[in-house]
Amino acid sequence: MKRLLSGHDTKGQFCLFENVSGGNTQTPVHVHANDDETIHMQEGEMTAVVDGTPRRLTAGQSIFLARGVPHQLLNASRRPARYLLIGTPAIFDRFIEEAGRELRPGEAAGPPTPQELDRLRAAAPKFGITLLAAWPASN
C-alpha cells in the first residue's frame, strides 16, 4: 500500500492509501473494532465480502466497511486492480507502519513472507484488528 495521507496529515480524522493488487490476492477475514474503511475502486475489479456476503466492485464503485463487521477483499482475477482505502479515524496507517514495510525503489510487491505474516499477526491486536481463521457462523 502507498500512503497518500497519514493521520498526522489529517489531525487523526482519516488516513488515505492507494493499493494495487496484481491478481489472485486476498486479505484475511478480519474485523476492525475502532475504525471504519471505505474502498473506492479506480481500476479493475475486486470482491468485498462483508459479513459473509460477496459484492463485486468495479472501477468507479465504492463500499463502506463498518467497524465491528467481518470483511475480506479478494481479487480472484489475474488482472491488476487499483483502489483507494480511507480509514476513519486514522488508525490503519499506524497498523501498516508496524505490520508492513515500505518497498524499496523499483521493488515490486510479492506474496508475504512468513516473517511478514508473523509481524502482521502480532501488530493486529494492538490496533483493534482481529484476524479470523474463517467466517463466523451466522446466528
Side-chain angles (χ1 to χ4, degrees), residues 1-3 17 93-105 107-113 115-116 119-120:
M1 293 190 137
K2 177 181 177 183
R3 183 177 48 208
F17 289 89
D93 60 332
R94 295 187 324 230
F95 165 69
I96 293 295
E97 283 178 9
E98 186 164 326
R101 67 175 181 84
E102 287 194 43
L103 296 177
R104 292 179 217 80
E107 180 183 9
T113 66
Q115 295 83 5
E116 290 169 333
R119 192 168 58 241
L120 180 135

Side-chain angles (χ1 to χ4, degrees), residues 21 25 41 44-48 55-57 73-75 81 83:
S21 163
T25 61
M41 292 300 301
E45 70 178 66
M46 305 260 308
T47 300
R55 178 171 160 204
R56 183 174 170 253
L57 299 171
L73 294 174
L74 309 155
N75 180 354
Y83 62 91

Side-chain angles (χ1 to χ4, degrees), residues 29-31 48-54 65 68-72 132 135-139:
V29 179
H30 62 284
V31 180
V49 184
V50 182
D51 212 12
T53 302
L65 304 170
V69 179
H71 61 274
Q72 179 180 42
L132 303 173
W135 286 99
S138 299
N139 293 334

Side-chain angles (χ1 to χ4, degrees), residues 9-47:
D9 299 324
T10 67
K11 296 185 175 29
Q13 296 298 304
F14 69 95
C15 55
L16 176 64
F17 289 89
E18 180 182 57
N19 194 31
V20 176
S21 163
N24 293 324
T25 61
Q26 65 182 33
T27 66
V29 179
H30 62 284
V31 180
H32 297 254
N34 304 314
D35 58 324
D36 304 309
E37 291 179 308
T38 301
I39 303 295
H40 177 75
M41 292 300 301
Q42 295 181 298
E43 296 175 19
E45 70 178 66
M46 305 260 308
T47 300

